[in-house]
Amino acid sequence: MSQYNCLDCNLKSAAAEYLNEQEFSVLHENIVNVSFVKGETIIRQDTLSLNVAYLRTGMVKIHMRGPTHSQILQLEKAPTYLGLPTSFGDNINHFSVTAISDCTVCFIDLSVFRNLIFNNGRFSYQLIVELGRNGLFHFQRYASMSQKQIPGLVAETLLCFSKKLFENTSFTLPLTRGEIGDMIGTSRECVSRVLTQMCSDKIISVEKNVLTILKPEVLEQICEKG
DNA sequence: GCATTAACCACAG
DNA sequence: CTGTGGTTAATGC
């Protein structure tokens, strides 16, 4: 069991804001908080899913084995639920979740979580909102992936990192070039080339692993034109 | 044809 | 892991 009380958790999910005191105490009795260091697997593809995972702190990559390469589906930062599609879609995990920074995760018993959904409409509604946004994000990604050229995809990825993940025009690259390649379905070489090209065009700068977006407008333009 | 895009391979740091 | 260069295949004008 976790040492802290869920009711007093200052990192509650948007959905959990709607739980009452009694529901929190049930949650608290059926939750376990686990720390992961960077690189550790939090959820493993093809294993049985027995609980819902809630990412309290840290950042993760969600990925799966494709026909030939590994495919990175998305990056997520705390606070967020992890693997809801798996929890409700199938008993078997259809993807893996790996920590890309140190993380803390709460694992919640699935049947307890299911009861919360049955009994609390507002809580459920917030989950649906999250699931819906996630689905929309992937629809958009799907269209981009099949229609944009590599520079457009790289631009899209960098803008996503900047706007959604770090909320900053300057950030430490959370993935290697190879992983970015796995994310947009190309090779590490292509990512490398596009990045160095953007550097020489002064659209971005990369020092060590810190990337700074110098010309957001140009990047947006590349992103849109594909 | 010629140019562009990107994959694949190999080698160096 | 990263950056580059050479080569090749596919596609478009």
Side-chain angles (χ1 to χ4, degrees):
Chain A
M1 288 303 131
S2 51
Q3 307 85 337
Y4 66 95
N5 192 309
C6 292
L7 180 59
D8 301 327
C9 178
N10 55 346
L11 295 162
K12 284 199 257 300
S13 65
E17 294 295 338
Y18 296 108
L19 299 180
N20 63 36
E21 227 168 284
Q22 196 232 328
E23 286 169 322
F24 263 117
S25 92
V26 173
L27 190 62
H28 183 61
E29 294 304 314
N30 292 281
I31 207 167
V32 56
N33 186 246
V34 184
S35 296
F36 291 89
V37 300
K38 183 177 175 174
E40 278 188 304
T41 301
I42 297 169
I43 295 174
R44 189 176 171 78
Q45 185 173 356
D46 298 331
T47 59
L48 201 56
S49 168
L50 301 166
N51 30 244
V52 172
Y54 175 67
L55 183 65
R56 270 182 89 232
T57 62
M59 200 175 277
V60 300
K61 64 172 176 179
I62 298 175
H63 53 110
M64 66 188 289
R65 275 191 311 281
T68 56
H69 309 296
S70 155
Q71 175 72 44
I72 297 184
L73 299 162
Q74 69 179 139
L75 261 40
E76 292 219 283
K77 66 167 181 176
T80 182
Y81 285 102
L82 297 173
L84 287 182
T86 269
S87 306
F88 303 127
D90 193 354
N91 286 335
I92 305 292
N93 292 308
H94 285 221
F95 48 81
S96 295
V97 178
T98 304
I100 56 175
S101 73
D102 291 353
C103 292
T104 55
V105 179
C106 296
F107 290 97
I108 308 156
D109 182 272
L110 191 54
S111 59
V112 170
F113 196 77
R114 197 179 286 127
N115 277 335
L116 291 177
I117 289 173
F118 287 158
N119 298 324
N120 187 326
R122 287 177 175 277
F123 175 78
S124 311
Y125 176 74
Q126 273 308 317
L127 288 184
I128 292 172
V129 168
E130 260 195 63
L131 285 168
R133 284 203 188 115
N134 210 254
L136 258 20
F137 172 76
H138 285 291
F139 284 177
Q140 196 268 328
R141 276 253 298 155
Y142 183 47
S144 289
M145 290 270 289
S146 41
Q147 294 177 26
K148 284 184 184 178
Q149 296 182 334
I150 308 298
L153 290 171
V154 171
E156 181 174 297
T157 305
L158 296 182
L159 287 168
C160 177
F161 287 173
S162 166
K163 291 196 278 195
K164 293 191 182 170
L165 244 34
F166 298 99
E167 292 161 32
N168 197 320
T169 52
S170 187
F171 53 87
T172 304
L173 280 169
L175 300 176
T176 66
R177 314 300 148 101
E179 285 174 317
I180 296 173
D182 287 340
M183 197 165 169
I184 62 180
T186 187
S187 61
R188 58 169 193 85
E189 291 102 318
C190 277
V191 176
S192 212
R193 265 189 259 264
V194 170
L195 250 29
T196 49
Q197 181 63 50
M198 284 175 170
C199 275
S200 50
D201 291 345
K202 305 289 178 205
I203 299 168
I204 59 171
S205 76
V206 184
E207 278 169 48
K208 175 62 182 146
N209 244 330
V210 179
L211 188 144
T212 305
I213 297 176
L214 302 173
K215 295 180 184 167
E217 337 81 48
V218 182
L219 209 54
E220 294 276 3
Q221 205 181 321
I222 296 171
C223 174
E224 278 159 35
K225 288 172 73 177

